Amino acid sequence: MKKLPLCTESDKTGVSIGAKHSCGNSKSWAEYTDRNAGSVNKKRYFGLKSAVFSALTAAFTFTWALYPHTDVSAKQWGMQSPGVYKLIDGSTLNGVVARGIDVSHWQGKIDWKAVAADDVKFVMLGTRSQGRPDPTFDYNASSAHKEGIALGAYIYSYATNTKQAEAEADLVLNLIKDYPISYPVAFDAEDEATLGKLPKSQITAIILTFTNKIRAAGYYPIIYANDYWIANKLDLDALAGIDIWVARYNKRHAYSKPVMWQATETGSVNGIKGNVDIDFQYKDFSSVIPKDTTRTIAGKTYYYRDYVLQKDTLITDEKGQKIYIDKNGNAITGWSVVDGKKFYYDPSTGKTVTSWFKVGDTWYFFDKDGVLQTGWLNKDKLWYLLSSDNGSMQTGWVKDNNIYYYFDASGVMQTGWVLHDSQWYYLNSSGAMQTGYIVVNDNRYYLDTDGHMLKNTNIVHEGSIFVIDENGVMGPPIGTSQSPEGTKISSKNIDKSKSVDMVYEQRIESSAAFEAATETSPAQTKAAHKSKNKKGSKKSKNKDTVTDDENCPDGCTNANVDTKSPGQP
């Protein structure tokens, strides 16, 4: 898979960062490739003179030309019929799902249109070069995908401990997250100088660290290894459950259960200059790599549709919840305005909230599409009022369209008798606060201009004077008066005058003061009541609620005592 460099050098962590350069060693060395085993074995030959090396090269070239049966061109790896391919020895390989290649910067500029036309259905892309992302990854991934070639990825590992393996996984994830990866992500286990020197237990720990992190991010991890490594260096029992991509060149692999086979490193494909690795796929990955998914990488959540990372768009998840994605592929959280409509995206999930949702200490209501609601809301046969300014749920006294309403701590509009700050108020069936003379359950009451029930006083009503007892109930008239309606008259003045025209106390004009003292909402709501008929149609479950409060006016049967306890709508 990896074209071996003349030498590799390591940084201080021990992870190789160099490729295709000299380490400064004065002794020359060459590489020997056991192609039949599909593995690369480095054997250094020190003091090899250039003349001898040239002679050997010439001899090798002559031998290669003399025996054409060793040619491993693409024609020996071509499709004979769907799922059947011809091997180098003339035999056929059955059960092939697709033919693909694996490439990196070593292949140079690739004509992906020509590649796609030459029966290449997938590509495994190298991700690292000299300690950094492969410089050709973006071009190869974008161009191959444009031509309909499925994308997978691999990293040639130099890890010698789990920390380095995790760092390699992070490098891969940070690179591939922006691309439509629909094939596995492979851990390439073949480097003899690093991973190959470790005992099985350490190799296992390193592979598991890498593959677990890849799987946790929502990708499908596999192991790339040749037959020798599989038989001698990998603990297959400990690695059970991780599929293997086997490498063995020009000869059938010994490992019996691979998901892919890298059959040659000297294949030929249109659109690629020089040799290229040819791979055969045995397993269909569509059932284990979902098209539409969510991935969490480096603490950030990303959303994919048909394998493509979503950016700068509004998507709908499997539950119908809307998620707005920014230009970087991250879900927007908190408040957002889209097409003039206000939404709130749950910071923990990025999804649009629906129904009731509490932000800080304030409740809001969002419809089934996640749009913030304002004005009057009827929910489960209960009425609520949401601020026209910011949609916040209202509680306490609220003035709407010049009418006062009262909402309990859960935001529910109240009707009937309500006890607030030791005073009784009466709200009709539409929730409107009443003033003046009312009859409830055959009892007569008189409510002051600020709505509170009068008691222990005398009141002028329609020219007559009535005594109001300690429960607020009006008795029969005890005289007449020309004083204005609602005038409160002391008993002392009544006893002295003994006349029709009674001396009256100054009537309390407290409407403005009441408004200032009781309007506690952050902003007045807009005129949600568009007609009197709408108001009259409101109903509350609190109507006719029985209370045992002995101070309720005349044992009324529809009192609501505001306990001010917190409650969820």
Side-chain angles (χ1 to χ4, degrees):
M1 176 182 290
K2 176 181 179 293
K3 308 307 179 189
L4 288 175
L6 294 178
C7 189
T8 60
E9 76 176 9
S10 301
D11 61 14
K12 293 181 180 179
T13 64
V15 175
S16 176
I17 61 171
K20 205 173 182 180
H21 60 75
S22 171
C23 292
N25 194 324
S26 60
K27 298 179 180 178
S28 61
W29 59 285
E31 299 162 355
Y32 171 77
T33 302
D34 177 6
R35 301 184 188 277
N36 287 334
S39 62
V40 179
N41 300 309
K42 302 175 190 173
K43 295 185 177 180
R44 302 188 178 187
Y45 298 90
F46 300 102
L48 183 64
K49 298 187 179 296
S50 59
V52 176
F53 182 79
S54 299
L56 290 175
T57 301
F60 177 79
T61 303
F62 173 78
T63 303
W64 190 269
L66 186 63
Y67 296 97
H69 67 275
T70 58
D71 178 21
V72 288
S73 67
K75 298 191 183 303
Q76 276 74 33
W77 307 103
M79 182 170 64
Q80 302 299 295
S81 60
V84 180
Y85 283 78
K86 184 178 180 181
L87 302 186
I88 191 171
D89 59 4
S91 64
T92 57
L93 178 66
N94 299 307
V96 176
V97 175
R99 188 180 85 146
I101 58 177
D102 56 90
V103 301
S104 66
H105 64 286
W106 291 108
Q107 276 68 45
K109 189 70 174 287
I110 296 174
D111 180 353
W112 285 102
K113 190 175 186 66
V115 170
D118 197 9
D119 188 32
V120 172
K121 305 302 182 186
F122 70 92
V123 59
M124 300 295 285
L125 297 170
T127 57
R128 182 170 60 183
S129 171
Q130 300 186 27
R132 295 181 296 274
D134 189 297
T136 63
F137 188 91
D138 178 70
Y139 169 76
N140 286 336
S142 301
S143 301
H145 179 255
K146 182 180 179 180
E147 301 301 331
I149 298 174
L151 308 180
Y154 73 88
I155 186 168
Y156 185 99
S157 178
Y158 295 104
T160 57
N161 56 59
T162 56
K163 185 176 181 180
Q164 292 173 2
E166 186 171 2
E168 290 183 338
D170 288 336
L171 182 148
V172 172
L173 292 174
N174 187 57
L175 177 62
I176 68 174
K177 72 179 188 320
D178 293 316
Y179 300 91
I181 301 297
S182 58
Y183 265 56
V185 176
F187 179 89
D188 184 347
E190 63 173 295
D191 192 71
E192 291 287 352
T194 55
L195 193 67
K197 291 183 176 180
L198 304 176
K200 275 188 178 183
S201 60
Q202 285 184 252
I203 294 175
T204 299
I206 288 170
I207 293 176
L208 288 177
T209 296
F210 179 90
T211 55
N212 286 344
K213 190 152 195 177
I214 296 297
R215 183 180 291 106
Y219 293 98
Y220 192 73
I222 61 174
I223 302 168
Y224 168 93
N226 59 48
D227 269 336
Y228 176 79
W229 271 65
I230 294 172
N232 298 279
K233 293 181 178 292
L234 301 186
D235 185 342
L236 297 184
D237 290 334
L239 298 172
I242 306 175
D243 288 333
I244 292 180
W245 171 17
V246 66
R248 185 157 189 173
Y249 299 156
N250 311 328
K251 189 174 183 179
R252 289 181 187 265
H253 50 82
Y255 181 63
S256 62
K257 298 182 293 183
V259 293
M260 293 194 302
W261 172 29
Q262 187 185 71
T264 181
E265 66 172 355
T266 55
S268 177
V269 170
N270 292 339
I272 299 178
K273 297 178 181 179
N275 295 332
V276 66
D277 299 340
I278 300 252
D279 302 284
F280 295 105
Q281 175 189 350
Y282 297 135
K283 179 176 180 175
D284 182 356
F285 298 112
S286 60
S287 63
V288 293
I289 306 176
K291 290 184 177 182
D292 301 337
T293 190
T294 301
R295 295 188 171 105
T296 300
I297 300 171
K300 294 183 179 180
T301 301
Y302 300 90
Y303 299 85
Y304 295 81
R305 296 294 179 269
D306 197 20
Y307 304 113
V308 177
L309 174 63
Q310 301 299 286
K311 295 183 178 182
D312 199 20
T313 187
L314 185 67
I315 65 172
T316 303
D317 71 2
E318 63 281 358
K319 295 182 179 179
Q321 291 182 297
K322 297 185 184 305
I323 306 168
Y324 188 69
I325 311 300
D326 67 15
K327 64 181 180 181
N328 297 315
N330 301 128
I332 289 178
T333 59
W335 292 105
S336 180
V337 177
V338 180
D339 296 331
K341 298 177 181 179
K342 201 167 186 179
F343 299 83
Y344 188 81
Y345 299 92
D346 189 337
S348 63
T349 64
K351 298 179 180 180
T352 51
V353 300
T354 57
S355 192
W356 290 109
F357 195 83
K358 192 174 186 180
V359 181
D361 295 326
T362 305
W363 285 98
Y364 299 88
F365 187 84
F366 303 84
D367 69 10
K368 62 182 179 61
D369 296 319
V371 179
L372 175 69
Q373 301 297 288
T374 60
W376 286 97
L377 169 71
N378 186 281
K379 175 70 172 172
D380 299 328
K381 299 182 179 181
L382 301 176
W383 283 97
Y384 302 84
L385 186 57
L386 310 171
S387 169
S388 60
D389 288 342
N390 57 21
S392 59
M393 183 192 77
Q394 304 296 282
T395 59
W397 290 107
V398 179
K399 187 180 181 181
D400 180 65
N401 200 25
N402 293 319
I403 298 174
Y404 280 98
Y405 300 87
Y406 188 81
F407 302 86
D408 68 10
S410 294
V412 177
M413 183 194 76
Q414 303 297 290
T415 61
W417 289 106
V418 170
L419 181 64
H420 176 73
D421 289 344
S422 302
Q423 297 285 357
W424 285 99
Y425 299 82
Y426 191 80
L427 313 172
N428 69 12
S429 61
S430 67
M433 184 192 77
Q434 302 298 286
T435 60
Y437 177 81
I438 63 171
V439 178
V440 180
N441 296 332
D442 297 326
N443 290 322
R444 297 173 298 173
Y445 303 88
Y446 206 93
L447 310 175
D448 208 349
T449 54
D450 66 356
H452 81 274
M453 182 192 74
L454 297 176
K455 57 185 177 180
N456 294 322
T457 190
N458 307 298
I459 196 76
V460 175
H461 173 57
E462 295 181 348
S464 297
I465 302 172
F466 295 84
V467 176
I468 301 177
D469 67 16
E470 61 182 4
N471 294 317
V473 178
M474 294 172 59
I478 59 171
T480 61
S481 174
Q482 294 181 355
S483 299
E485 174 74 16
T487 299
K488 293 185 282 292
I489 300 177
S490 69
S491 298
K492 180 180 179 181
N493 288 336
I494 293 175
D495 292 337
K496 284 183 177 180
S497 62
K498 302 291 186 183
S499 64
V500 174
D501 295 322
M502 310 298 292
V503 178
Y504 62 90
E505 298 173 338
Q506 178 66 40
R507 183 177 183 184
I508 300 175
E509 298 290 346
S510 58
S511 178
F514 170 75
E515 177 178 343
T518 61
E519 179 120 9
T520 57
S521 62
Q524 288 188 359
T525 57
K526 65 183 179 181
H529 283 298
K530 294 184 179 178
S531 68
K532 291 182 179 179
N533 291 335
K534 181 177 179 181
K535 294 179 188 177
S537 66
K538 299 194 204 80
K539 294 182 180 179
S540 169
K541 72 175 183 179
N542 293 309
K543 186 176 181 181
D544 299 327
T545 300
V546 178
T547 177
D548 294 328
D549 193 312
E550 61 183 9
N551 293 320
C552 176
D554 196 36
C556 58
T557 61
N558 57 346
N560 297 287
V561 180
D562 183 10
T563 62
K564 297 185 180 179
S565 60
Q568 177 177 333

